[in-house]
Amino acid sequence: SCALVGPEGELFCWGGNPCGALGTEADDYAEVHTPIVPFPPAWSAAPTMLAGGRTNIPEASFCVVGDGEGTFCWGCSEKGSLGTGTSSTTNASPAPLQVEEEVLWLGSDEGTLCAGLGDGQVKCWGAQPWPTNSETDAPGGPGKYYPELADATGLSISMLHACAIDPYGDVYCMGDNGFGGIGLPDDLVYDAPVWIDELSNIVGLAPAATGTFAWSSTGDLFVWGTTHCSSFGIGVVEQWFIPVTQVPLPAPVTKVVATEASACALSSDGAVYCWGGNGYGEAGEPTLSQVHLPSLVALPTQIVDLAAGAYHLLALDVDGTVWAWGDNELGQLGRGKLVPPDGPVVVLPPPGAN
């Protein structure tokens, strides 16, 4: 995990260190149990965005978008997914992303990194399994522009498909529909975007393990694809191809994040609800192996943001404190202890940090 701290945007990281993802030259799987400053920053002004993504469990990478100073990435680079022109799989030092345009948003998962650019283009690096008739960019290559995704305001990337939001709040998907991720009742491959007719006024997307979450401007949450371990939060444990279905939540949703087997939603009143596989307590219920429907996580304060790792969650509260729960095998919870707690705990801040 990594966090930007304070008005200067100082970077702190903790947890496992595959491929130098923590920004240190330590052994590949060295563990950092409390936050550290990983490297001298390659930027002088406070960054405007921190984005991270898994390339393959437990591999990870991170990117920082500087304020007018470019975008810098480090960590694992599967098939060139770091976007910095390197073919090396291990990168502990930040390197500039291969774009000249302003970066508005980043989407990264499953060995693919995509950037939404100020001129409306979308550029991607790495595996890029969609469309299937497109040649994969060579490791360390310059990346590829996707005219099919032009003007997208957000992108959800999974191993088999990608879904995007257009400027009007409509959603379209492309790729392999083997798990129903395109939203149609078949197992075909779609090399051109397919509109999801049931959705409108969508403002956010998040990848599920084998599906997609989407939430609207009114806070309604929808999901489609294939669920396992109750990962969709609709009371269904295992089922192939679930069409667009609304997730039952007691309050409007402002953000959703997903682990490999669970998901959590942030509501407009600052509460967090989780569901799905709970083998590490990532669904917020210490006594259950699976949580079939959204369940309120016991957090003592109002939450303003969420992030997810492979099997752990992070929540930022209104006072700037970071809470964590779930898997702590590599120190992902930033507590210096390897025993997973029964619920959310405060990530120990570095000395002198707020």
Side-chain angles (χ1 to χ4, degrees):
S1 304
C2 289
L4 293 174
V5 178
E8 302 302 321
E10 193 169 12
L11 181 72
F12 292 89
C13 297
W14 65 94
N17 191 42
C19 315
L22 298 188
T24 72
E25 298 288 354
D27 292 340
D28 226 15
Y29 291 93
E31 300 161 9
V32 176
H33 299 161
T34 55
I36 61 167
V37 180
F39 44 67
W43 49 90
S44 58
T48 60
M49 188 192 314
L50 170 66
R54 299 185 298 275
T55 57
N56 212 342
I57 296 176
E59 298 173 356
S61 61
F62 294 94
C63 293
V64 160
V65 180
D67 186 4
E69 297 181 291
T71 299
F72 301 87
C73 302
W74 67 96
C76 302
S77 183
E78 180 184 348
K79 299 180 180 179
S81 60
L82 206 58
T84 60
T86 178
S87 58
S88 173
T89 57
T90 300
N91 305 273
S93 298
L97 189 68
Q98 292 179 304
V99 292
E100 297 181 358
E101 303 86 352
E102 178 188 10
V103 173
L104 302 180
W105 53 261
L106 291 167
S108 177
D109 210 354
E110 302 290 356
T112 300
L113 170 67
C114 293
L117 307 178
D119 60 1
Q121 297 187 87
V122 174
K123 189 176 184 180
C124 299
W125 300 262
Q128 307 167 66
W130 25 260
T132 55
N133 61 4
S134 177
E135 293 183 6
T136 298
D137 188 33
K144 296 188 299 183
Y145 289 96
Y146 279 80
E148 304 96 329
L149 304 176
D151 296 320
T153 61
L155 186 68
S156 170
I157 301 170
S158 79
M159 181 171 58
L160 296 177
H161 70 281
C163 293
I165 310 173
D166 74 7
Y168 305 100
D170 293 323
V171 175
Y172 51 96
C173 301
M174 59 190 297
D176 192 333
N177 195 44
F179 290 101
I182 305 299
L184 298 174
D186 58 48
D187 57 358
L188 304 178
V189 174
Y190 292 86
D191 290 331
V194 175
W195 297 90
I196 309 297
D197 295 336
E198 299 90 337
L199 299 174
S200 62
N201 301 315
I202 299 301
V203 296
L205 295 171
T210 48
T212 305
F213 290 102
W215 57 99
S216 70
S217 58
T218 57
D220 295 320
L221 178 62
F222 303 91
V223 68
W224 64 94
T226 294
T227 183
H228 67 98
C229 300
S230 300
S231 59
F232 282 7
I234 57 176
V236 178
V237 179
E238 306 280 346
Q239 184 175 327
W240 179 84
F241 183 70
I242 293 177
V244 174
T245 303
Q246 186 167 351
V247 180
L249 285 160
V253 169
T254 60
K255 185 173 184 178
V256 175
V257 297
T259 71
E260 289 297 312
S262 65
C264 294
L266 175 61
S267 69
S268 58
D269 58 4
V272 175
Y273 298 86
C274 296
W275 58 88
N278 196 42
Y280 297 94
E282 65 267 40
E285 288 282 354
T287 61
L288 300 176
S289 61
Q290 291 184 16
V291 179
H292 303 308
L293 294 168
S295 175
L296 181 65
V297 178
L299 288 156
T301 184
Q302 187 178 26
I303 301 301
V304 297
D305 202 3
L306 288 176
Y311 295 103
H312 75 286
L313 282 300
L314 300 172
L316 176 68
D317 74 17
V318 68
D319 297 318
T321 298
V322 177
W323 298 81
W325 64 96
D327 184 18
N328 197 38
E329 184 178 358
L330 301 176
Q332 299 98 306
L333 305 190
R335 292 287 297 184
K337 298 179 180 180
L338 295 181
V339 178
D342 289 335
V345 294
V346 174
V347 175
L348 296 175
N354 293 315

